[in-house]
Amino acid sequence: MSIIRFRNYSVYTKDRKILDNINLEIFENNVNTVLGPSGSGKSTLVRSINRLIEITPGLKYDGEIYFKDKSIFEYQPEEIRRQIGLVFQQPNPFNFSIFENVAFGPRIHWKLKENELEEIVKNSLIEAALYEEVKDNLKKSALSLSGGQQQRLCIARALALKPLVIMMDEPTSSLDPIAMNKIEDLIIKLKEKYTIILITHDVRQAARISDFIAFIYNGRIIEHSKAEEILEKPKNEITEKFLTDRLG
């Protein structure tokens, strides 16, 4: 069942189209991977879902994006960003303690007692597979964590707002292989409760953890199907060239 749907959606400047007539379904409780080379429009796609395109100078858009069968433009932007979390390529923890990084969003959105806030922070860190590593140092600066830990902290920060969807834009590109494996394992576990949208240019990563893959090139969805179908029997020559590293 789809939770997000693009219908004839485009993003453009006065000179060029960045996204060109996108039609795409994002399926619940699956890892939905948007795969493609750098500059193909992947990040613009997730920024559109998160209502960030509207505040980006020089960009215009038309078409429609639906979230739970309602236009995303009918929601307040802050509500969309609560229900659809976004984790960026570079870990971006706030210059606060580990605890306050995770507590920041819930403090803004809800009136909570301190014990309720502590429970949300703990559960979010557990879900992000970070709690055991930091439970004795929650007052320590988040900036003291390793890169992989910082990225899992950013995931915990998104989880603390009780989202339905978590978008991850190249979340492992700046990490070492061990940290990358932890994030990939976490993504697979998180899809049991959340819908995941993963942005990547890494074919091997897409093969390891995707349920569905949408291949995007020059702002257009070339094909979209179950991961094994795209990876084993791509229908389009452009997709095949990218998968075999012959696109250039």
Side-chain angles (χ1 to χ4, degrees):
M1 183 176 179
S2 62
I3 188 169
I4 295 172
R5 292 180 292 122
F6 287 79
R7 289 293 177 264
N8 304 318
Y9 181 79
S10 297
V11 175
Y12 48 91
T13 67
K14 63 179 182 179
D15 299 317
R16 69 184 184 99
K17 276 195 173 181
I18 301 170
L19 293 178
D20 187 2
N21 199 40
I22 299 294
N23 288 282
L24 179 65
E25 309 262 332
I26 300 298
F27 297 104
E28 285 185 290
N29 298 109
N30 283 278
V31 178
N32 299 266
T33 296
V34 181
L35 175 68
S38 298
S40 57
K42 303 187 300 295
S43 294
T44 300
L45 189 144
V46 294
R47 288 170 64 85
S48 295
I49 297 172
N50 218 33
R51 302 282 301 272
L52 294 175
I53 289 300
E54 299 159 59
I55 57 175
T56 304
L59 293 185
K60 297 183 179 181
Y61 62 91
D62 55 43
E64 192 59 84
I65 305 172
Y66 296 96
F67 174 53
K68 298 189 298 183
D69 293 323
K70 179 179 172 182
S71 170
I72 64 165
F73 305 111
E74 295 180 36
Y75 293 88
Q76 292 297 319
E78 54 270 22
E79 180 60 18
I80 281 289
R81 291 169 196 151
R82 187 192 70 76
Q83 294 199 56
I84 306 175
L86 176 57
V87 177
F88 294 95
Q89 181 175 351
Q90 294 288 339
N92 60 340
F94 304 136
N95 190 16
F96 304 153
S97 69
I98 294 167
F99 182 93
E100 288 301 330
N101 262 268
V102 183
F104 182 81
R107 283 192 196 278
I108 291 174
H109 283 273
W110 304 302
K111 293 182 179 179
L112 297 168
K113 298 178 181 177
E114 196 61 27
N115 65 315
E116 293 173 323
L117 192 60
E118 290 173 358
E119 190 72 12
I120 288 173
V121 170
K122 179 180 179 179
N123 289 340
S124 301
L125 289 169
I126 289 172
E127 279 195 297
L130 186 59
Y131 182 71
E132 290 300 320
E133 297 171 37
V134 302
K135 63 182 180 181
D136 297 323
N137 297 291
L138 293 179
K139 294 183 179 180
K140 195 173 180 180
S141 170
L143 301 182
S144 67
L145 298 174
S146 70
Q149 288 175 323
Q150 287 186 15
Q151 194 64 298
R152 281 181 282 144
L153 179 66
C154 292
I155 293 171
R157 197 168 65 193
L159 294 173
L161 292 175
K162 305 181 187 299
L164 296 178
V165 180
I166 303 171
M167 304 190 295
M168 300 189 188
D169 189 356
E170 304 271 11
T172 64
S173 63
S174 64
L175 305 180
D176 63 70
I178 293 174
M180 179 182 70
N181 288 339
K182 287 184 178 181
I183 296 288
E184 289 182 358
D185 290 343
L186 176 59
I187 288 171
I188 292 170
K189 185 175 181 180
L190 287 174
K191 75 176 183 180
E192 297 173 10
K193 291 181 63 176
Y194 306 94
T195 299
I196 307 295
I197 302 175
L198 173 68
I199 300 298
T200 187
H201 64 272
D202 187 335
V203 174
R204 288 173 296 181
Q205 181 173 77
R208 287 191 294 267
I209 63 177
S210 304
D211 296 300
F212 293 88
I213 294 176
F215 176 63
I216 187 169
Y217 183 67
N218 284 345
R220 304 190 71 181
I221 299 294
I222 304 300
E223 53 184 303
H224 178 220
S225 188
K226 290 183 178 179
E228 59 270 21
E229 294 175 6
I230 294 266
L231 295 168
E232 294 173 11
K233 294 182 179 180
K235 296 177 181 178
N236 191 286
E237 183 182 2
I238 298 174
T239 311
E240 184 178 6
K241 284 183 176 181
F242 180 78
L243 295 175
T244 56
D245 202 23
R246 292 184 291 118
L247 187 63

mmCIF file of all heavy atoms in Angstrom, residues 4 6 9 11 19 24 26 32 34 41-53 65 72 80-81 84-88 165-170 196-200 216:
data_model
loop_
_atom_site.group_PDB
_atom_site.id
_atom_site.type_symbol
_atom_site.label_atom_id
_atom_site.label_comp_id
_atom_site.label_asym_id
_atom_site.label_seq_id
_atom_site.Cartn_x
_atom_site.Cartn_y
_atom_site.Cartn_z
ATOM 1 N N ILE A 4 2.907 7.601 0.038
ATOM 2 C CA ILE A 4 3.221 8.842 -0.657
ATOM 3 C C ILE A 4 3.106 8.582 -2.156
ATOM 4 O O ILE A 4 3.565 7.553 -2.647
ATOM 5 C CB ILE A 4 4.633 9.343 -0.317
ATOM 6 C CG1 ILE A 4 4.725 9.711 1.168
ATOM 7 C CG2 ILE A 4 5.026 10.543 -1.178
ATOM 8 C CD1 ILE A 4 6.124 10.024 1.641
ATOM 9 N N PHE A 6 3.559 10.640 -5.986
ATOM 10 C CA PHE A 6 3.839 11.775 -6.864
ATOM 11 C C PHE A 6 2.960 11.654 -8.107
ATOM 12 O O PHE A 6 2.873 10.575 -8.696
ATOM 13 C CB PHE A 6 5.304 11.758 -7.322
ATOM 14 C CG PHE A 6 6.294 12.144 -6.269
ATOM 15 C CD1 PHE A 6 6.689 11.235 -5.300
ATOM 16 C CD2 PHE A 6 6.856 13.418 -6.250
ATOM 17 C CE1 PHE A 6 7.623 11.573 -4.340
ATOM 18 C CE2 PHE A 6 7.793 13.772 -5.299
ATOM 19 C CZ PHE A 6 8.177 12.842 -4.333
ATOM 20 N N TYR A 9 4.646 15.548 -11.163
ATOM 21 C CA TYR A 9 5.321 16.560 -10.348
ATOM 22 C C TYR A 9 6.640 16.973 -10.992
ATOM 23 O O TYR A 9 7.451 16.122 -11.366
ATOM 24 C CB TYR A 9 5.576 16.021 -8.938
ATOM 25 C CG TYR A 9 6.252 17.003 -8.019
ATOM 26 C CD1 TYR A 9 5.533 18.025 -7.414
ATOM 27 C CD2 TYR A 9 7.619 16.916 -7.762
ATOM 28 C CE1 TYR A 9 6.152 18.943 -6.575
ATOM 29 C CE2 TYR A 9 8.242 17.828 -6.927
ATOM 30 C CZ TYR A 9 7.505 18.838 -6.338
ATOM 31 O OH TYR A 9 8.121 19.734 -5.510
ATOM 32 N N VAL A 11 9.936 20.054 -10.832
ATOM 33 C CA VAL A 11 10.618 21.179 -10.187
ATOM 34 C C VAL A 11 11.552 21.784 -11.228
ATOM 35 O O VAL A 11 12.254 21.056 -11.939
ATOM 36 C CB VAL A 11 11.426 20.731 -8.954
ATOM 37 C CG1 VAL A 11 12.225 21.899 -8.373
ATOM 38 C CG2 VAL A 11 10.512 20.146 -7.885
ATOM 39 N N LEU A 19 13.379 18.191 -11.781
ATOM 40 C CA LEU A 19 12.536 16.995 -11.785
ATOM 41 C C LEU A 19 11.515 17.161 -12.903
ATOM 42 O O LEU A 19 10.906 18.227 -13.031
ATOM 43 C CB LEU A 19 11.819 16.810 -10.444
ATOM 44 C CG LEU A 19 12.684 16.489 -9.232
ATOM 45 C CD1 LEU A 19 11.819 16.390 -7.975
ATOM 46 C CD2 LEU A 19 13.479 15.196 -9.424
ATOM 47 N N LEU A 24 5.341 8.514 -9.041
ATOM 48 C CA LEU A 24 6.063 7.558 -8.200
ATOM 49 C C LEU A 24 5.231 7.204 -6.979
ATOM 50 O O LEU A 24 4.557 8.070 -6.410
ATOM 51 C CB LEU A 24 7.401 8.176 -7.765
ATOM 52 C CG LEU A 24 8.304 7.349 -6.865
ATOM 53 C CD1 LEU A 24 8.798 6.096 -7.594
ATOM 54 C CD2 LEU A 24 9.489 8.188 -6.387
ATOM 55 N N ILE A 26 5.432 5.453 -3.093
ATOM 56 C CA ILE A 26 6.283 5.055 -1.971
ATOM 57 C C ILE A 26 5.455 4.107 -1.103
ATOM 58 O O ILE A 26 4.380 4.482 -0.616
ATOM 59 C CB ILE A 26 6.722 6.279 -1.153
ATOM 60 C CG1 ILE A 26 7.523 7.256 -2.035
ATOM 61 C CG2 ILE A 26 7.520 5.835 0.064
ATOM 62 C CD1 ILE A 26 8.802 6.709 -2.612
ATOM 63 N N ASN A 32 12.226 2.033 0.285
ATOM 64 C CA ASN A 32 12.000 2.569 -1.057
ATOM 65 C C ASN A 32 13.234 3.368 -1.453
ATOM 66 O O ASN A 32 13.469 4.466 -0.942
ATOM 67 C CB ASN A 32 10.778 3.489 -1.065
ATOM 68 C CG ASN A 32 9.499 2.782 -0.660
ATOM 69 O OD1 ASN A 32 8.755 2.307 -1.510
ATOM 70 N ND2 ASN A 32 9.230 2.724 0.644
ATOM 71 N N VAL A 34 15.625 5.489 -3.967
ATOM 72 C CA VAL A 34 15.736 6.302 -5.175
ATOM 73 C C VAL A 34 17.215 6.278 -5.559
ATOM 74 O O VAL A 34 18.065 6.831 -4.858
ATOM 75 C CB VAL A 34 15.236 7.735 -4.954
ATOM 76 C CG1 VAL A 34 15.342 8.541 -6.245
ATOM 77 C CG2 VAL A 34 13.786 7.718 -4.449
ATOM 78 N N GLY A 41 18.659 14.551 -9.479
ATOM 79 C CA GLY A 41 17.421 15.062 -8.881
ATOM 80 C C GLY A 41 16.983 14.339 -7.626
ATOM 81 O O GLY A 41 15.904 14.622 -7.097
ATOM 82 N N LYS A 42 17.813 13.429 -7.125
ATOM 83 C CA LYS A 42 17.422 12.614 -5.968
ATOM 84 C C LYS A 42 17.118 13.477 -4.736
ATOM 85 O O LYS A 42 16.074 13.318 -4.096
ATOM 86 C CB LYS A 42 18.523 11.593 -5.627
ATOM 87 C CG LYS A 42 18.903 10.660 -6.744
ATOM 88 C CD LYS A 42 19.862 9.571 -6.302
ATOM 89 C CE LYS A 42 21.169 10.076 -5.749
ATOM 90 N NZ LYS A 42 21.995 10.790 -6.763
ATOM 91 N N SER A 43 18.030 14.370 -4.399
ATOM 92 C CA SER A 43 17.834 15.194 -3.206
ATOM 93 C C SER A 43 16.669 16.159 -3.372
ATOM 94 O O SER A 43 15.939 16.437 -2.412
ATOM 95 C CB SER A 43 19.120 15.969 -2.879
ATOM 96 O OG SER A 43 20.153 15.082 -2.497
ATOM 97 N N THR A 44 16.470 16.664 -4.572
ATOM 98 C CA THR A 44 15.333 17.553 -4.828
ATOM 99 C C THR A 44 14.022 16.821 -4.585
ATOM 100 O O THR A 44 13.054 17.398 -4.080
ATOM 101 C CB THR A 44 15.396 18.089 -6.266
ATOM 102 O OG1 THR A 44 16.611 18.807 -6.443
ATOM 103 C CG2 THR A 44 14.220 19.005 -6.570
ATOM 104 N N LEU A 45 14.003 15.536 -4.897
ATOM 105 C CA LEU A 45 12.791 14.751 -4.698
ATOM 106 C C LEU A 45 12.425 14.667 -3.223
ATOM 107 O O LEU A 45 11.266 14.933 -2.844
ATOM 108 C CB LEU A 45 12.992 13.358 -5.299
ATOM 109 C CG LEU A 45 11.757 12.463 -5.385
ATOM 110 C CD1 LEU A 45 11.791 11.623 -6.653
ATOM 111 C CD2 LEU A 45 11.666 11.529 -4.176
ATOM 112 N N VAL A 46 13.392 14.346 -2.346
ATOM 113 C CA VAL A 46 13.057 14.250 -0.922
ATOM 114 C C VAL A 46 12.801 15.629 -0.319
ATOM 115 O O VAL A 46 11.952 15.767 0.571
ATOM 116 C CB VAL A 46 14.137 13.495 -0.116
ATOM 117 C CG1 VAL A 46 14.205 12.046 -0.543
ATOM 118 C CG2 VAL A 46 15.499 14.141 -0.202
ATOM 119 N N ARG A 47 13.488 16.640 -0.807
ATOM 120 C CA ARG A 47 13.238 17.990 -0.308
ATOM 121 C C ARG A 47 11.841 18.478 -0.707
ATOM 122 O O ARG A 47 11.237 19.301 -0.013
ATOM 123 C CB ARG A 47 14.304 18.952 -0.821
ATOM 124 C CG ARG A 47 15.666 18.751 -0.157
ATOM 125 C CD ARG A 47 16.754 19.551 -0.863
ATOM 126 N NE ARG A 47 16.525 20.981 -0.757
ATOM 127 C CZ ARG A 47 16.902 21.733 0.273
ATOM 128 N NH1 ARG A 47 17.535 21.179 1.283
ATOM 129 N NH2 ARG A 47 16.652 23.028 0.291
ATOM 130 N N SER A 48 11.320 17.945 -1.804
ATOM 131 C CA SER A 48 9.948 18.266 -2.204
ATOM 132 C C SER A 48 8.950 17.662 -1.221
ATOM 133 O O SER A 48 7.978 18.315 -0.817
ATOM 134 C CB SER A 48 9.675 17.738 -3.612
ATOM 135 O OG SER A 48 10.468 18.397 -4.572
ATOM 136 N N ILE A 49 9.189 16.417 -0.834
ATOM 137 C CA ILE A 49 8.291 15.764 0.125
ATOM 138 C C ILE A 49 8.285 16.520 1.443
ATOM 139 O O ILE A 49 7.245 16.674 2.092
ATOM 140 C CB ILE A 49 8.723 14.291 0.348
ATOM 141 C CG1 ILE A 49 8.605 13.494 -0.954
ATOM 142 C CG2 ILE A 49 7.875 13.641 1.442
ATOM 143 C CD1 ILE A 49 9.196 12.085 -0.864
ATOM 144 N N ASN A 50 9.440 17.015 1.838
ATOM 145 C CA ASN A 50 9.584 17.674 3.137
ATOM 146 C C ASN A 50 9.244 19.164 3.104
ATOM 147 O O ASN A 50 9.511 19.887 4.058
ATOM 148 C CB ASN A 50 11.021 17.481 3.638
ATOM 149 C CG ASN A 50 11.078 17.242 5.129
ATOM 150 O OD1 ASN A 50 10.180 16.644 5.695
ATOM 151 N ND2 ASN A 50 12.136 17.702 5.765
ATOM 152 N N ARG A 51 8.695 19.625 1.980
ATOM 153 C CA ARG A 51 8.250 21.013 1.812
ATOM 154 C C ARG A 51 9.395 22.019 1.904
ATOM 155 O O ARG A 51 9.172 23.193 2.268
ATOM 156 C CB ARG A 51 7.160 21.359 2.850
ATOM 157 C CG ARG A 51 5.903 20.489 2.829
ATOM 158 C CD ARG A 51 4.948 20.853 1.705
ATOM 159 N NE ARG A 51 4.492 22.225 1.774
ATOM 160 C CZ ARG A 51 3.416 22.624 2.472
ATOM 161 N NH1 ARG A 51 2.708 21.745 3.146
ATOM 162 N NH2 ARG A 51 3.042 23.894 2.465
ATOM 163 N N LEU A 52 10.613 21.606 1.568
ATOM 164 C CA LEU A 52 11.750 22.521 1.589
ATOM 165 C C LEU A 52 11.929 23.238 0.258
ATOM 166 O O LEU A 52 12.561 24.294 0.198
ATOM 167 C CB LEU A 52 13.041 21.774 1.955
ATOM 168 C CG LEU A 52 13.093 21.218 3.387
ATOM 169 C CD1 LEU A 52 14.355 20.399 3.586
ATOM 170 C CD2 LEU A 52 13.017 22.342 4.421
ATOM 171 N N ILE A 53 11.383 22.665 -0.818
ATOM 172 C CA ILE A 53 11.486 23.298 -2.137
ATOM 173 C C ILE A 53 10.827 24.669 -2.131
ATOM 174 O O ILE A 53 11.299 25.621 -2.756
ATOM 175 C CB ILE A 53 10.860 22.392 -3.218
ATOM 176 C CG1 ILE A 53 11.747 21.167 -3.444
ATOM 177 C CG2 ILE A 53 10.637 23.146 -4.520
ATOM 178 C CD1 ILE A 53 13.146 21.483 -3.912
ATOM 179 N N ILE A 65 1.867 16.048 -4.873
ATOM 180 C CA ILE A 65 2.398 14.990 -4.024
ATOM 181 C C ILE A 65 1.350 14.721 -2.956
ATOM 182 O O ILE A 65 0.889 15.654 -2.276
ATOM 183 C CB ILE A 65 3.725 15.383 -3.360
ATOM 184 C CG1 ILE A 65 4.765 15.814 -4.400
ATOM 185 C CG2 ILE A 65 4.275 14.211 -2.538
ATOM 186 C CD1 ILE A 65 6.040 16.387 -3.795
ATOM 187 N N ILE A 72 0.167 17.089 0.155
ATOM 188 C CA ILE A 72 1.078 17.580 1.197
ATOM 189 C C ILE A 72 0.921 19.083 1.394
ATOM 190 O O ILE A 72 1.247 19.602 2.464
ATOM 191 C CB ILE A 72 2.556 17.248 0.883
ATOM 192 C CG1 ILE A 72 3.036 17.945 -0.389
ATOM 193 C CG2 ILE A 72 2.803 15.762 0.844
ATOM 194 C CD1 ILE A 72 4.538 17.944 -0.546
ATOM 195 N N ILE A 80 4.100 18.173 8.306
ATOM 196 C CA ILE A 80 4.732 17.274 7.332
ATOM 197 C C ILE A 80 6.125 16.883 7.802
ATOM 198 O O ILE A 80 6.524 15.712 7.744
ATOM 199 C CB ILE A 80 4.797 17.937 5.943
ATOM 200 C CG1 ILE A 80 3.434 17.841 5.249
ATOM 201 C CG2 ILE A 80 5.869 17.306 5.057
ATOM 202 C CD1 ILE A 80 3.049 16.438 4.798
ATOM 203 N N ARG A 81 6.888 17.846 8.287
ATOM 204 C CA ARG A 81 8.273 17.567 8.697
ATOM 205 C C ARG A 81 8.328 16.745 9.974
ATOM 206 O O ARG A 81 9.339 16.090 10.234
ATOM 207 C CB ARG A 81 9.037 18.886 8.854
ATOM 208 C CG ARG A 81 9.257 19.567 7.505
ATOM 209 C CD ARG A 81 9.754 20.978 7.616
ATOM 210 N NE ARG A 81 9.571 21.655 6.320
ATOM 211 C CZ ARG A 81 9.382 22.945 6.173
ATOM 212 N NH1 ARG A 81 9.354 23.731 7.240
ATOM 213 N NH2 ARG A 81 9.218 23.462 4.972
ATOM 214 N N ILE A 84 7.209 13.152 8.495
ATOM 215 C CA ILE A 84 8.149 12.648 7.492
ATOM 216 C C ILE A 84 9.522 13.220 7.825
ATOM 217 O O ILE A 84 9.859 14.329 7.427
ATOM 218 C CB ILE A 84 7.723 13.050 6.063
ATOM 219 C CG1 ILE A 84 6.278 12.615 5.788
ATOM 220 C CG2 ILE A 84 8.665 12.431 5.043
ATOM 221 C CD1 ILE A 84 5.742 13.085 4.444
ATOM 222 N N GLY A 85 10.299 12.465 8.593
ATOM 223 C CA GLY A 85 11.605 12.938 9.033
ATOM 224 C C GLY A 85 12.635 12.859 7.920
ATOM 225 O O GLY A 85 12.518 12.042 7.001
ATOM 226 N N LEU A 86 13.663 13.716 8.001
ATOM 227 C CA LEU A 86 14.711 13.733 6.994
ATOM 228 C C LEU A 86 16.071 13.697 7.678
ATOM 229 O O LEU A 86 16.372 14.541 8.527
ATOM 230 C CB LEU A 86 14.602 14.993 6.116
ATOM 231 C CG LEU A 86 15.690 15.203 5.065
ATOM 232 C CD1 LEU A 86 15.797 14.026 4.113
ATOM 233 C CD2 LEU A 86 15.434 16.498 4.283
ATOM 234 N N VAL A 87 16.871 12.700 7.299
ATOM 235 C CA VAL A 87 18.247 12.571 7.784
ATOM 236 C C VAL A 87 19.173 12.904 6.619
ATOM 237 O O VAL A 87 19.074 12.297 5.551
ATOM 238 C CB VAL A 87 18.520 11.146 8.303
ATOM 239 C CG1 VAL A 87 19.974 11.003 8.741
ATOM 240 C CG2 VAL A 87 17.572 10.811 9.461
ATOM 241 N N PHE A 88 20.070 13.845 6.826
ATOM 242 C CA PHE A 88 20.896 14.355 5.744
ATOM 243 C C PHE A 88 22.164 13.533 5.532
ATOM 244 O O PHE A 88 22.515 12.673 6.342
ATOM 245 C CB PHE A 88 21.261 15.824 6.009
ATOM 246 C CG PHE A 88 20.089 16.759 5.967
ATOM 247 C CD1 PHE A 88 19.423 17.121 7.137
ATOM 248 C CD2 PHE A 88 19.636 17.274 4.759
ATOM 249 C CE1 PHE A 88 18.340 17.983 7.100
ATOM 250 C CE2 PHE A 88 18.551 18.140 4.713
ATOM 251 C CZ PHE A 88 17.899 18.491 5.886
ATOM 252 N N VAL A 165 7.215 8.212 8.269
ATOM 253 C CA VAL A 165 8.188 8.019 7.186
ATOM 254 C C VAL A 165 9.519 8.624 7.611
ATOM 255 O O VAL A 165 9.552 9.699 8.218
ATOM 256 C CB VAL A 165 7.709 8.701 5.885
ATOM 257 C CG1 VAL A 165 8.733 8.507 4.760
ATOM 258 C CG2 VAL A 165 6.340 8.178 5.468
ATOM 259 N N ILE A 166 10.610 7.937 7.289
ATOM 260 C CA ILE A 166 11.941 8.476 7.513
ATOM 261 C C ILE A 166 12.669 8.488 6.176
ATOM 262 O O ILE A 166 12.817 7.449 5.528
ATOM 263 C CB ILE A 166 12.740 7.650 8.529
ATOM 264 C CG1 ILE A 166 11.976 7.558 9.854
ATOM 265 C CG2 ILE A 166 14.122 8.278 8.774
ATOM 266 C CD1 ILE A 166 12.596 6.589 10.831
ATOM 267 N N MET A 167 13.096 9.674 5.757
ATOM 268 C CA MET A 167 13.854 9.823 4.521
ATOM 269 C C MET A 167 15.330 9.970 4.874
ATOM 270 O O MET A 167 15.688 10.728 5.774
ATOM 271 C CB MET A 167 13.375 11.046 3.739
ATOM 272 C CG MET A 167 11.893 11.026 3.429
ATOM 273 S SD MET A 167 11.381 12.315 2.265
ATOM 274 C CE MET A 167 11.724 13.802 3.220
ATOM 275 N N MET A 168 16.178 9.246 4.160
ATOM 276 C CA MET A 168 17.617 9.298 4.411
ATOM 277 C C MET A 168 18.325 9.605 3.100
ATOM 278 O O MET A 168 18.270 8.818 2.157
ATOM 279 C CB MET A 168 18.099 7.968 4.987
ATOM 280 C CG MET A 168 17.426 7.591 6.292
ATOM 281 S SD MET A 168 18.196 6.153 7.059
ATOM 282 C CE MET A 168 17.041 5.844 8.411
ATOM 283 N N ASP A 169 18.979 10.761 3.073
ATOM 284 C CA ASP A 169 19.631 11.244 1.851
ATOM 285 C C ASP A 169 21.117 10.907 1.907
ATOM 286 O O ASP A 169 21.893 11.588 2.574
ATOM 287 C CB ASP A 169 19.416 12.754 1.725
ATOM 288 C CG ASP A 169 19.866 13.292 0.372
ATOM 289 O OD1 ASP A 169 20.415 12.520 -0.433
ATOM 290 O OD2 ASP A 169 19.659 14.496 0.126
ATOM 291 N N GLU A 170 21.524 9.831 1.234
ATOM 292 C CA GLU A 170 22.919 9.371 1.227
ATOM 293 C C GLU A 170 23.464 9.293 2.654
ATOM 294 O O GLU A 170 24.524 9.851 2.969
ATOM 295 C CB GLU A 170 23.789 10.310 0.386
ATOM 296 C CG GLU A 170 23.329 10.503 -1.050
ATOM 297 C CD GLU A 170 23.907 9.473 -2.010
ATOM 298 O OE1 GLU A 170 24.500 8.480 -1.548
ATOM 299 O OE2 GLU A 170 23.755 9.675 -3.225
ATOM 300 N N ILE A 196 10.606 3.703 4.868
ATOM 301 C CA ILE A 196 11.926 4.283 4.635
ATOM 302 C C ILE A 196 12.050 4.720 3.176
ATOM 303 O O ILE A 196 11.712 3.959 2.262
ATOM 304 C CB ILE A 196 13.045 3.268 4.940
ATOM 305 C CG1 ILE A 196 12.879 2.673 6.345
ATOM 306 C CG2 ILE A 196 14.419 3.918 4.760
ATOM 307 C CD1 ILE A 196 13.025 3.655 7.469
ATOM 308 N N ILE A 197 12.532 5.941 2.974
ATOM 309 C CA ILE A 197 12.933 6.409 1.650
ATOM 310 C C ILE A 197 14.439 6.631 1.705
ATOM 311 O O ILE A 197 14.923 7.459 2.482
ATOM 312 C CB ILE A 197 12.220 7.717 1.250
ATOM 313 C CG1 ILE A 197 10.704 7.527 1.262
ATOM 314 C CG2 ILE A 197 12.693 8.173 -0.135
ATOM 315 C CD1 ILE A 197 9.915 8.802 0.999
ATOM 316 N N LEU A 198 15.164 5.873 0.915
ATOM 317 C CA LEU A 198 16.621 5.944 0.900
ATOM 318 C C LEU A 198 17.094 6.546 -0.414
ATOM 319 O O LEU A 198 16.706 6.077 -1.486
ATOM 320 C CB LEU A 198 17.220 4.545 1.072
ATOM 321 C CG LEU A 198 18.738 4.438 0.920
ATOM 322 C CD1 LEU A 198 19.446 5.149 2.068
ATOM 323 C CD2 LEU A 198 19.171 2.978 0.841
ATOM 324 N N ILE A 199 17.914 7.563 -0.334
ATOM 325 C CA ILE A 199 18.545 8.156 -1.509
ATOM 326 C C ILE A 199 19.985 7.647 -1.578
ATOM 327 O O ILE A 199 20.727 7.755 -0.598
ATOM 328 C CB ILE A 199 18.554 9.699 -1.405
ATOM 329 C CG1 ILE A 199 17.129 10.246 -1.298
ATOM 330 C CG2 ILE A 199 19.292 10.305 -2.585
ATOM 331 C CD1 ILE A 199 16.262 9.952 -2.471
ATOM 332 N N THR A 200 20.385 7.089 -2.717
ATOM 333 C CA THR A 200 21.755 6.612 -2.844
ATOM 334 C C THR A 200 22.169 6.553 -4.315
ATOM 335 O O THR A 200 21.327 6.461 -5.203
ATOM 336 C CB THR A 200 21.925 5.222 -2.194
ATOM 337 O OG1 THR A 200 23.310 4.860 -2.199
ATOM 338 C CG2 THR A 200 21.133 4.150 -2.930
ATOM 339 N N ILE A 216 16.438 7.045 -11.192
ATOM 340 C CA ILE A 216 16.208 8.400 -11.685
ATOM 341 C C ILE A 216 17.449 8.863 -12.447
ATOM 342 O O ILE A 216 18.581 8.632 -12.021
ATOM 343 C CB ILE A 216 15.866 9.361 -10.520
ATOM 344 C CG1 ILE A 216 15.445 10.734 -11.034
ATOM 345 C CG2 ILE A 216 17.005 9.463 -9.515
ATOM 346 C CD1 ILE A 216 14.855 11.635 -9.946
#
